[in-house]
Amino acid sequence: MLISGGGIAGPALAFWLKEAGFKPTLIERAPRLRTGGYVIDFWGLGYGIAERMGLEADINRVGYHVREVRIVNDRGKRVAGFGTDVFAELTGGRFVTLGRSDLSQLLFEKIKNTTEIIFDDEIVGLQEQSAGVRVQFKLEASAHLIW
């Protein structure tokens, strides 16, 4: 199974494919894991999936447990805001905010020993054949048959 993209969805898919008995290969155009990006709130279904993946302790360890949301003016003075206790109450304490690159790192740690990971390359061609799909990579002269 070939997965194109090493962001968040690609490694998560690789995890679940391996759980289902497949041998995934993940290819990512970037030369290494990307850093930076937005934050992700984990609660509800997303938190439940993280639990099933064995990530709950890790997301709580590296995540943010926001206690207050503040709205500030252009001088940084608080003009409004609210506490987040209601989120903890509504989610049974299953609420955490996590940086995108932190989540990416946690997912790669989960798959690094069970998934072939190729950085700094990309898929440039696909050709369907009776035995599978022939995949052409940008940096490799030869193609690979994936089934």
Side-chain angles (χ1 to χ4, degrees):
M1 297 272 153
L2 181 63
I3 303 166
S4 177
I8 301 299
L13 177 58
F15 175 89
W16 290 111
L17 286 172
K18 181 63 178 167
E19 288 290 302
F22 295 96
K23 295 179 183 179
T25 297
L26 186 139
I27 185 162
E28 168 56 44
R29 177 186 314 181
R32 67 189 76 63
L33 285 180
R34 297 170 194 231
T35 59
Y38 48 88
V39 295
I40 300 165
D41 291 327
F42 273 91
W43 59 281
L45 181 60
Y47 197 97
I49 291 170
E51 286 176 318
R52 290 179 55 203
M53 293 177 78
L55 290 171
E56 180 183 16
D58 292 325
I59 64 171
N60 278 295
R61 177 179 48 82
V62 301
Y64 305 94
H65 297 273
V66 178
R67 295 186 309 256
E68 181 184 21
V69 174
R70 295 179 187 172
I71 301 168
V72 297
N73 64 17
D74 58 354
R75 293 179 305 247
K77 183 179 177 188
R78 184 182 190 275
V79 295
F82 55 91
T84 60
D85 290 343
V86 69
F87 295 130
E89 291 174 28
L90 292 172
T91 63
R94 298 171 70 233
F95 180 86
V96 64
T97 299
L98 188 67
R100 184 217 169 274
S101 57
D102 293 329
L103 177 58
S104 176
Q105 183 65 49
L106 292 175
L107 289 168
F108 266 87
E109 288 298 315
K110 277 288 187 190
I111 67 167
K112 71 180 183 183
N113 296 322
T114 60
T115 301
E116 179 184 7
I117 301 170
I118 303 168
F119 281 104
D120 205 19
D121 205 349
E122 61 186 286
I123 298 167
V124 294
L126 299 171
Q127 182 182 23
E128 187 174 356
Q129 298 182 349
S130 61
V133 175
R134 185 164 298 279
V135 180
Q136 181 70 46
F137 295 103
K138 184 176 185 176
L139 298 180
E140 292 190 26
S142 63
H144 299 273
L145 190 61
I146 307 290
W147 58 93

